[in-house]
Amino acid sequence: MRQGWGRCGHFSLTLAIATVVALTFLGNLAAACLAPCTCLTLGSVVDCGGLHLLSLPPRLPDGVWLLELSHNNLSHLPVGSFQGLWGLRVLLLSHNILQNLASGALGGLSFLERLDLSHNQLARLPPDFSATLGSLLRLDLSHNLLATLDPCSLWGLGSLEQLDLSHNKLAELAAGLGGLYRLRWLSLAGNQLHRVEGTALATMTGLEVLSLAENNISELEAEAFASLRALGFLSLVGNQLQHLEFNAVARIQTAGTQLLLAINPWTCDCDLQRAFRKLSHLRHLRVADLGNLTCAGPGQLSGAVLSSVEARLCLAETATVLGITGTMLITVAVAVAVAVAERKRRQGPGGAGE
């Protein structure tokens, strides 16, 4: 009996010690996770979202893996804001009022894989924005006020696969997207781009999805998409394209690429018909929304669906050309007849007989 009691007593003592250790650990964890934030899964997930915070929590668990700071009132990130959080993989800062990021604000986040800064008021990125973000895979900067991109700000994102720059105020890209060699998904929708330069996307040879929708693009350079060897989806919906630069899209060499072109002010003429006819012969490229393309001009075709009038565009031009040619021929014939008659009149009856 004593032996049995001893074993049970030893087990009870071990259990009591384990309980004390666990409670002590959880107590330390609770202390590290300051209110009003919530810590989950032993502090690896820290939720401080929607708490109307004006500044970052003064203390966070060292082992945090995901930090949720969305839907607060954060207006700036000072230098070293996340220093010491070596294990941080996901940082969510959307729906704040961030207006600027101090140089070095994201320092120390060498293993960060996802960063969400969408729905803020960022007008610029510091040149060293990406200096320590070499492991970042996904970056969301949508719904900000970015008008330009410093050529250095994104240069360190050599591992980035997905970039959302939609709904900003970008008017040109220039060299601002350099260094993104592994990018597969890029959205520039809802900006103020007027053109796509051939060098802007040159380094993104693996890009698979590109959205340029809802911009002011009126022309495409012939080399704009020439380097995109893996492009499977391209949206140019909602721009200012009146004519289709066939050479620009024909240089896309990926098999099965889908092209979206609706909501553009197309000028429906014979040139446009020729461009789309040539495009229809490209087996690797398909206009997925061809039935939704409408004419903005000329006047008599305004509002007409392109596919319903396409066959008549060159016929109308041909008829016009033939009409002009016929008029010219009649004019020439009349002029010749008049000249002959005048010559006969001057020569008189004798000359006429001869």
Side-chain angles (χ1 to χ4, degrees), residues 73-97:
N73 296 319
L74 302 174
S75 61
H76 72 285
L77 295 179
V79 179
S81 294
F82 307 100
Q83 202 68 39
L85 302 181
W86 307 107
L88 196 61
R89 296 291 190 276
V90 179
L91 177 57
L92 308 176
L93 285 158
S94 68
H95 294 89
N96 278 277
I97 53 174

Side-chain angles (χ1 to χ4, degrees), residues 32-325:
C33 192
L34 297 179
C37 298
T38 303
C39 291
L40 307 171
T41 61
L42 301 181
S44 62
V45 176
V46 178
D47 186 357
C48 302
L51 300 176
H52 307 291
L53 298 178
L54 298 175
S55 60
L56 295 174
R59 182 180 175 186
L60 292 166
D62 294 337
V64 60
W65 182 86
L66 184 154
L67 178 56
E68 168 65 273
L69 288 164
S70 299
H71 296 277
N72 281 294
N73 296 319
L74 302 174
S75 61
H76 72 285
L77 295 179
V79 179
S81 294
F82 307 100
Q83 202 68 39
L85 302 181
W86 307 107
L88 196 61
R89 296 291 190 276
V90 179
L91 177 57
L92 308 176
L93 285 158
S94 68
H95 294 89
N96 278 277
I97 53 174
L98 291 171
Q99 298 178 4
N100 65 80
L101 303 176
S103 182
L106 300 175
L109 299 179
S110 302
F111 299 103
L112 195 68
E113 296 178 357
R114 179 186 172 192
L115 175 59
D116 188 349
L117 287 163
S118 64
H119 295 274
N120 278 282
Q121 299 174 20
L122 296 172
R124 59 176 293 275
L125 299 176
D128 67 344
F129 172 80
S130 63
T132 61
L133 300 179
S135 298
L136 200 65
L137 301 176
R138 296 173 59 188
L139 174 59
D140 192 344
L141 288 163
S142 64
H143 295 276
N144 275 282
L145 304 174
L146 297 172
T148 59
L149 290 175
D150 188 297
C152 299
S153 61
L154 303 179
W155 195 262
L157 302 177
S159 299
L160 197 67
E161 296 179 355
Q162 181 173 322
L163 175 59
D164 194 343
L165 284 165
S166 63
H167 302 286
N168 277 278
K169 297 182 179 299
L170 296 171
E172 62 178 356
L173 299 177
L177 295 177
L180 304 178
Y181 303 107
R182 297 187 181 180
L183 203 64
R184 297 169 54 193
W185 189 99
L186 173 62
S187 178
L188 290 160
N191 278 277
Q192 299 173 7
L193 300 174
H194 291 275
R195 59 187 301 184
V196 181
E197 298 179 7
T199 58
L201 308 172
T203 62
M204 305 175 195
T205 55
L207 196 64
E208 298 174 5
V209 175
L210 173 60
S211 177
L212 293 165
E214 299 173 25
N215 278 277
N216 296 317
I217 298 171
S218 58
E219 61 177 316
L220 302 172
E221 288 193 4
E223 300 296 323
F225 311 115
S227 62
L228 306 182
R229 304 298 183 186
L231 193 63
F233 178 89
L234 172 61
S235 176
L236 288 162
V237 171
N239 278 280
Q240 297 299 317
L241 296 171
Q242 297 182 40
H243 305 281
L244 181 64
E245 287 83 355
F246 174 75
N247 289 333
V249 295
R251 290 174 183 265
I252 301 172
Q253 298 299 318
T254 314
T257 299
Q258 294 194 46
L259 182 61
L260 299 181
L261 294 170
I263 318 179
N264 278 282
W266 299 109
T267 298
C268 293
D269 55 17
C270 194
D271 287 339
L272 190 66
Q273 183 191 17
R274 291 192 189 102
F276 275 101
R277 181 176 295 172
K278 289 190 290 184
L279 195 60
S280 67
H281 294 309
L282 299 179
R283 295 183 178 180
H284 66 279
L285 189 63
R286 185 174 75 89
V287 181
D289 58 351
L290 185 61
N292 295 327
L293 273 58
T294 56
C295 304
Q300 67 272 21
L301 295 177
S302 180
V305 177
L306 174 61
S307 58
S308 67
V309 299
E310 184 180 1
R312 307 201 306 265
L313 297 181
C314 283
L315 290 177
E317 183 174 293
T318 301
T320 301
V321 171
L322 289 175
I324 293 172
T325 304

